[in-house]
Amino acid sequence: MSRPTLPSAPLPATSSALFGFPAPDHDHRGSKSSAEQKPEPLAPSKDPSCKSSCASSNLSPCIISQWKKEPPEMASNNDPTVISMIERHLCDLPETNTSDLKTLTEEAVLSFHNISYQETVQSGFPLRKKAYVIERLSNISGIMKPGLNAIMGPQDGSRSLLLDVLAARRDPRGLSGDILINGKPRPANFKCTSGYVPQNDVVLGTVTVRDNLEFSAALRLPVTITRDEKRRRINEVLELLHLNKEQNIKPRSKELRKRTSIAMELVTEHPILFLDDPTTGLDLRTTTDVILVLRRMSKKGRTIIFSINQPQYSIFKFFDSLTLVASGKVMFHGPAQDALEYFRSAGYNYESHNNPADFFLDVINGGFSNILDTEEDGHEDDKYEELFERQYQVTGKLANMYAQSPLYSETRAILDQLLGEQKLERSSAVETTCVTPFCHQLKWIICQSFKNFKGFPWVTVIQAIITVILATAVGTAFRVLKNDCIEVQMRAGLLYLLTIFQCITSVSAGELFVIDRVRFLHEHTSGYYRVSSYFFGKLLAELIPRRLLPSTVFSLITYVIAGVKMSMKCFFTMICTIMVLAYSASSLPLSIGAGENAVAVPTLLVTIYFVFMLFFSGLSLYSGSFLPKLSWIQYFSIPHYGFRALLHNEFLGQNFCPEHNTEEVSRCHNYVMSRILCICSCA
């Protein structure tokens, strides 16, 4: 493909012609005849009610025509009729108050006006870092209407960044411009009133597909909706995504996880759905199925906005709107049917066998294929330098060409009508609102966590086996315990081993919130639950089976096998002490690991802490107390408090010296607390 110079003549109108290659009739499911699928051209509306509605919504009825609920099909060669973006009007959309969660349930049109986004990056040495401001998006405007709205571009991060900015998933401090929903400011809780499917699926793979959908419906739908209504919605989504036969299967495969992620967003029936590269990592068949599902949803009035990288023509033909972005600038924004004619009219040569998506990206990249197809050897570095230089020049030319085109002028006229002359109050769209109360969220988080815990049966069994074997070994070693003064130290050593077990097993508690960090950020941002309900729900569901039960089982087996005789009061006091020690030891890795993305550093710090504290506690086992110069360490030692409490419960009030024998009393020295207790009891 050659890259001719841009013509100086003005571009023709965008509604001139469609693609010069055959387009299929429709999707393969539930097909209709071509006559039934042929779209009707939309004439400007002359209905006075439409004019009044548009006037109330700050829309011009003279410029924009009536919007049809059915998105137009891709036209074939026999049907040259084009429905340009200017003709697809929304004046018959209901006037909604987007600040109210309950009212944003009908069709929605998203418009963005002069969007720019800046990021502050730091570079240099830790103590001499310099901050730089980089403009990632520059003066981007457009309209996303009910239908399939694709955002394409090279892999420079612009397309995903634009999607995240529109979906209010980026830090609003670097954002400038206006984003409107149906001509009104985007609500502050927009993240909770719109769907968002991230590129990396965050579904829970240890529960079934239906369990994931029930979790989403229970927390994102108001409690006023009946259980039967929620079940009906779930069944409809399962049928729509062809998940009926797989609803009781755990989503482990990439394809099933992707469809489950989409289903969790569709069950809420939000009017706008964002998807970040929904076809990444999927084969062609699965990709086609996903796009067909999204198309069926768009036919029901949903506004589907998604980023995608070089789709096949069998996928591209279903797009209603196309936005090409590169280097933070818009190269094209308008009907997908008009994109090819737009670049053709600009003088770019299109080969009939080429994929339109590949053709567009090749143009944006500055003729990447032409540079690499040259037969000169030994000049690879020059080729890539030429590529980057040409791409920078081409993106600037294409952005200027689009800004001067009639297509942009028409879109700009609609945007000006939507924006109006009044000054809008800027909304950061960072508020997270939940539609369910705290107790309801807590219940479902605990239930979901227990299901997740049951999803690892072999891990649970192995942990239980290791705990039983270790407790049996320790109890057998102390089976020789006798109720005399010589064996006091051995019993103190048994309590010390119990303390060690609680501290060492609590080191892994720091993984509790780090492992699910990505899923938590997505679900909390989408309005599933509050931070408080998630925190307490995870603690109650995870710490009880993973911390309390193993500690109790270990202590119980050890004491039974060792033959320790103690009253019921002392036994339950010991169990409560073990529980408090386990929770206290677990709180340290949880607090140190809070806000960290990795587990390695907090785990290392906690391990070093427990090693030193257990070392000093072991010294006190033989010396009776901490070393004089290091006695202050005991006040910062969690094992010290637990160990002393166990010693106090074990030895207080017991006589380990036979019948006031003073010779036996002399053997009681250097046995920690027992020295004082033994002397007192033998006196």
Side-chain angles (χ1 to χ4, degrees), residues 633-655:
I633 295 180
Q634 61 182 325
Y635 300 108
F636 302 96
S637 175
I638 294 177
H640 169 74
Y641 291 106
F643 182 43
R644 302 295 288 185
L646 291 174
L647 289 175
H648 187 275
N649 177 70
E650 182 73 19
F651 297 122
L652 184 63
Q654 295 194 39
N655 185 1

Side-chain angles (χ1 to χ4, degrees), residues 488-523:
V488 172
Q489 185 179 11
M490 296 187 63
R491 184 163 306 184
L494 175 61
L495 298 179
Y496 183 67
L497 285 180
L498 289 179
T499 305
I500 293 177
F501 179 81
Q502 308 309 320
C503 295
I504 298 302
T505 55
S506 299
V507 173
S508 61
E511 303 176 358
L512 180 60
F513 297 108
V514 178
I515 292 178
D516 294 334
R517 177 183 177 86
V518 177
R519 186 169 67 250
F520 160 74
L521 291 176
H522 169 70
E523 292 178 347

Side-chain angles (χ1 to χ4, degrees), residues 213-492:
L213 267 66
E214 289 179 349
F215 183 73
S216 177
L219 295 181
R220 302 179 71 187
L221 296 177
V223 292
T224 54
I225 297 180
T226 62
R227 184 177 301 178
D228 293 337
E229 173 64 17
K230 294 179 181 178
R231 190 179 296 112
R232 181 193 64 80
R233 291 194 184 187
I234 293 174
N235 293 334
E236 287 182 355
V237 172
L238 290 173
E239 182 179 359
L240 177 67
L241 293 170
H242 306 287
L243 291 170
N244 306 64
K245 298 181 180 179
E246 301 168 312
Q247 59 178 315
N248 296 321
I249 299 177
K250 297 177 181 179
R252 300 289 174 82
S253 65
K254 176 69 175 180
E255 178 265 341
L256 189 56
R257 291 175 64 88
K258 179 63 67 177
R259 287 197 288 162
T260 304
S261 296
I262 298 175
M264 293 177 67
E265 300 300 323
L266 295 182
V267 74
T268 58
E269 297 185 355
H270 291 318
I272 301 180
L273 176 62
F274 298 92
L275 303 99
D276 187 8
D277 283 341
T279 60
T280 299
L282 304 180
D283 54 27
L284 180 59
R285 180 179 178 181
T286 306
T287 298
T288 305
D289 289 340
V290 169
I291 295 299
L292 290 176
V293 167
L294 297 178
R295 181 162 180 79
R296 284 195 293 270
M297 295 306 302
S298 68
K299 284 180 172 291
K300 296 182 179 180
R302 299 279 183 93
T303 301
I304 311 295
I305 306 173
F306 60 96
S307 60
I308 192 168
N309 178 39
Q310 288 186 270
Q312 305 252 352
Y313 171 65
S314 58
I315 304 300
F316 179 82
K317 65 188 179 183
F318 294 116
F319 298 168
D320 296 310
S321 171
L322 176 64
T323 304
L324 296 176
V325 292
S327 301
K329 301 177 182 179
V330 177
M331 311 289 107
F332 174 85
H333 176 72
Q337 303 95 322
D338 296 342
L340 186 59
E341 183 61 28
Y342 172 83
F343 283 99
R344 277 177 171 175
S345 62
Y348 289 94
N349 214 4
Y350 171 74
E351 299 175 0
S352 58
H353 64 274
N354 197 2
N355 178 22
D358 295 337
F359 168 67
F360 300 146
L361 294 180
D362 198 15
V363 171
I364 293 174
N365 288 327
F368 180 82
S369 58
N370 288 342
I371 297 177
L372 297 185
D373 285 344
T374 56
E375 297 182 357
E376 300 179 4
D377 296 330
H379 299 284
E380 287 80 4
D381 295 337
D382 296 338
K383 292 178 184 179
Y384 284 102
E385 289 179 4
E386 182 183 354
L387 168 65
F388 292 130
E389 182 179 355
R390 179 179 294 188
Q391 182 177 357
Y392 178 78
Q393 295 175 355
V394 168
T395 52
K397 285 185 178 181
L398 290 175
N400 294 332
M401 183 181 72
Y402 171 72
Q404 297 173 5
S405 66
L407 177 64
Y408 176 76
S409 300
E410 295 171 354
T411 305
R412 184 80 259 176
I414 302 177
L415 293 174
D416 292 340
Q417 295 290 337
L418 287 170
L419 188 61
E421 297 180 356
Q422 73 279 10
K423 289 186 177 181
L424 299 175
E425 295 183 2
R426 297 291 177 93
S427 175
S428 59
V430 294
E431 179 182 347
T432 300
T433 58
C434 301
V435 296
T436 54
F438 174 84
C439 295
H440 182 83
Q441 297 172 11
L442 186 65
K443 180 187 73 172
W444 274 94
I445 292 172
I446 292 176
C447 293
Q448 192 80 338
S449 298
F450 273 114
K451 290 180 181 179
N452 181 37
F453 183 71
K454 292 167 56 180
F456 299 96
W458 286 109
V459 175
T460 305
V461 171
I462 292 174
Q463 289 179 345
I465 292 175
I466 293 176
T467 301
V468 172
I469 292 176
L470 185 60
T472 303
V474 173
T476 304
F478 287 91
R479 180 65 181 174
V480 295
L481 284 176
K482 296 179 181 179
N483 192 24
D484 56 30
C485 196
I486 298 177
E487 303 298 336
V488 172
Q489 185 179 11
M490 296 187 63
R491 184 163 306 184

